[in-house]
Amino acid sequence: MSDDAATKILLSESEMPRSWYNIVPDLPSPPPPVLHPGTHQPVGPEDLAPLFPMALIEQEVTDERFVTIPEEVLDVYRLWRPSPLFRAHRLEKALGTPAKIYYKYEGVSPAGSHKPNTAVPQAYYNASAGIRRLTTETGAGQWGTALAFAAAQFGIECEIWQVRASYDQKPYRKMMIETFGGTIHPSPSELTEAGRKVLADDPDSPGSLGIAISEAVEVAAQHPDTNYALGSVLNHVLLHQTVIGEEALLQLAKVGAVPDVIVGCTGGGSNFAGLAFPFLREKMAGNMSPIIRAVEPASCPSLTKGVYAYDFGDTTGMTPLMKMHTLGHDFIPDPIHAGGLRYHGMAPLISHVYELGLMEAVAKTQKECFEAGVAFARSEGIIPAPEPTHALAACIEEALRCKETGEEKVILTALCGHGHLDLPAYGKFLAGDMVDHSLSSAAVEAALTKLPAV
């Protein structure tokens, strides 16, 4: 089959990846170590044991290039994996571009996003270690939904703190999470010391992922049968997501296509890494040479406006210190509709790859992104979640450049979730009520004043 003829490129179950890919051994230099918040010394397994099972701690620091996926995890993956790769013929026609646009569609999962790729193994490893409950944070609700689903598969409880702005914007997320068996609270909440402190200072706080992380970590640390699960940022989370890119490599090979540009939205970074890292492996091996481009919101631009420094992963400073691109751990982003991208930092591994010059980054305002989302929906028939509209906006920008130059570039992106529960955001955009938020240099400087001295 040629890439001109294909619209939907599928893999059989037998072609599903049996291992996750760890990029660390292939990088020109290792990423900086994670540091203990008190001693500023590299953390050891004993420092992480109160929050994570040993299997995930080992994956966090492994130097193995491939990690075998347990059969119990594959059994659940088979509900939706391998996911389809589509050629966006109708979008190409609407744009009048000679470029060839492909999108890996993760909205076919039970949660409607890429998040179950890591939620399932995290729930499995915790259940195997005898953990009875998981706590977590969620922004737009995709991660909370995925963990509630995954926890149900392995018979454990799930308690979620959702950023207040998104909790109010997306009421159907709460219903979906509760249907899967999870418990959900708006964050900041009165249930934790971290939440009470924020509310004392700002009773109307819209919340942030950093605050929600503080609340979930606080509760997990207080109960021996409870662990914490993170939906992005950490190495083991990015590791699990590489099933996206590994499948896409096989699918593009079926139609003889090699990407010239790979585009992904970035908040914490797991979706972007999941798509890009297997292709970056091939690029470093000299097998292809794509430009790899991360796209983040202009209101929360950790890569394009943040600094590369050690910082806390949460607002109150309970987590270890990670060297990452950050806007400062107490930064509260504007309540944009792409709730999953409202995080003050970027995954340390992606930050390191960016510092090495192996990828580039751009920022987009939400009106441009929703314009791209509507154009995609009207041509391809899928309403994208607000997060991947950032990648789509950059894809369309690249495709229109190709229209000017006549280049037939192959563009690959990850459509990391559908927007069926984000329709109020589309309603605001279509009614002309959406406001663009861009972060000023002064706001960045103010947010960075409280970085820990390392």
Side-chain angles (χ1 to χ4, degrees):
M1 186 192 308
S2 74
D3 62 339
D4 290 319
T7 295
K8 181 165 62 174
I9 305 149
L10 302 175
L11 298 175
S12 66
E13 277 191 11
S14 64
E15 295 173 290
M16 190 164 67
R18 294 300 192 268
S19 298
W20 296 299
Y21 168 59
N22 173 29
I23 197 173
V24 173
D26 290 333
L27 293 175
S29 64
V34 175
L35 303 182
H36 189 282
T39 66
H40 290 185
Q41 295 300 306
V43 299
E46 66 280 357
D47 298 311
L48 300 175
L51 294 179
F52 303 106
M54 191 52 63
L56 291 179
I57 294 171
E58 289 171 354
Q59 290 180 6
E60 186 67 21
V61 299
T62 185
D63 57 4
E64 296 291 324
R65 293 181 79 237
F66 294 97
V67 176
T68 300
I69 304 174
E71 193 59 40
E72 294 88 344
V73 172
L74 289 171
D75 280 344
V76 184
Y77 274 2
R78 289 186 183 97
L79 290 173
W80 75 97
R81 303 220 71 87
S83 68
L85 179 75
F86 289 95
R87 168 84 182 273
H89 285 290
R90 290 170 180 81
L91 178 61
E92 294 167 14
K93 183 178 180 181
L95 297 174
T97 179
K100 300 171 182 178
I101 303 171
Y102 292 88
Y103 57 96
K104 181 73 165 152
Y105 185 40
E106 294 294 301
V108 294
S109 80
S113 77
H114 69 293
K115 293 292 188 178
N117 296 332
T118 186
V120 171
Q122 288 194 52
Y124 164 74
Y125 288 122
N126 276 287
S128 299
I131 293 299
R132 301 310 312 149
R133 177 176 61 157
L134 288 173
T135 65
T136 196
E137 78 295 328
T138 195
Q142 297 276 26
W143 168 241
T145 304
L147 194 64
F149 155 73
Q153 305 311 302
F154 296 102
I156 57 179
E157 298 175 19
C158 181
E159 189 168 8
I160 299 154
W161 277 261
Q162 183 174 19
V163 175
R164 164 63 79 175
S166 292
Y167 183 91
D168 293 339
Q169 287 171 348
K170 306 172 194 293
Y172 290 101
R173 277 288 162 206
K174 176 178 183 289
M175 299 174 197
M176 194 170 180
I177 285 167
E178 290 176 342
T179 300
F180 280 136
T183 302
I184 183 169
H185 316 289
S187 172
S189 75
E190 295 285 356
L191 299 170
T192 67
E193 184 178 338
R196 290 189 292 270
K197 183 175 183 298
V198 173
L199 290 171
D201 294 336
D202 180 8
D204 298 319
S205 171
S208 71
L209 281 167
I211 296 168
I213 291 171
S214 292
E215 295 203 82
V217 168
E218 179 182 321
V219 171
Q222 292 171 349
H223 298 88
D225 67 344
T226 303
N227 271 355
Y228 168 71
L230 188 62
S232 193
V233 177
L234 295 181
N235 291 0
H236 68 268
V237 183
L238 275 57
L239 174 84
H240 299 154
Q241 292 293 354
T242 57
V243 291
I244 302 172
E246 295 287 19
E247 288 181 5
L249 273 167
L250 293 176
Q251 287 163 315
L252 287 178
K254 281 180 179 283
V255 293
V258 178
D260 297 297
V261 183
I262 297 172
V263 183
C265 63
T266 47
S270 68
N271 152 71
F272 175 80
L275 176 70
F277 279 4
F279 286 91
L280 183 53
R281 175 189 69 219
E282 300 304 312
K283 181 175 181 177
M284 290 187 290
N287 298 325
M288 57 179 67
S289 56
I291 293 169
I292 298 174
R293 183 174 299 141
V295 191
E296 59 186 7
S299 63
C300 195
S302 58
L303 283 172
T304 55
K305 286 193 176 180
V307 297
Y308 187 49
Y310 273 103
D311 198 6
F312 296 105
D314 71 317
T315 298
T316 60
M318 298 176 66
T319 66
L321 292 165
M322 299 175 286
K323 193 162 190 185
M324 60 184 177
H325 282 265
T326 179
L327 295 165
H329 58 275
D330 58 350
F331 172 68
I332 308 293
D334 286 306
I336 59 170
H337 292 281
L341 305 185
R342 295 176 67 250
Y343 185 58
H344 67 270
M346 183 55 60
L349 202 45
I350 288 178
S351 297
H352 181 59
V353 167
Y354 186 57
E355 286 296 305
L356 291 173
L358 297 172
M359 56 173 278
E360 59 185 47
V362 297
K364 296 287 184 187
T365 57
Q366 62 176 357
K367 281 186 183 177
E368 180 184 358
C369 295
F370 273 88
E371 284 172 6
V374 169
F376 187 85
R378 290 176 181 176
S379 56
E380 292 296 311
I382 298 172
I383 300 173
E387 290 79 11
T389 63
H390 290 69
L392 291 172
C395 282
I396 289 174
E397 183 179 54
E398 185 70 35
L400 292 176
R401 274 198 291 264
C402 290
K403 183 179 181 178
E404 293 178 4
T405 64
E407 294 173 282
E408 295 184 8
K409 287 184 179 179
V410 173
I411 304 169
L412 171 66
T413 192
L415 186 60
C416 59
H418 64 64
H420 298 172
L421 300 187
D422 302 290
L423 291 176
Y426 278 91
K428 280 203 166 190
F429 172 75
L430 294 169
D433 295 334
M434 186 166 284
V435 178
D436 273 339
H437 299 278
S438 292
L439 192 61
S440 68
S441 297
V444 174
E445 290 173 13
L448 293 173
T449 56
K450 295 182 181 178
L451 285 178
V454 178

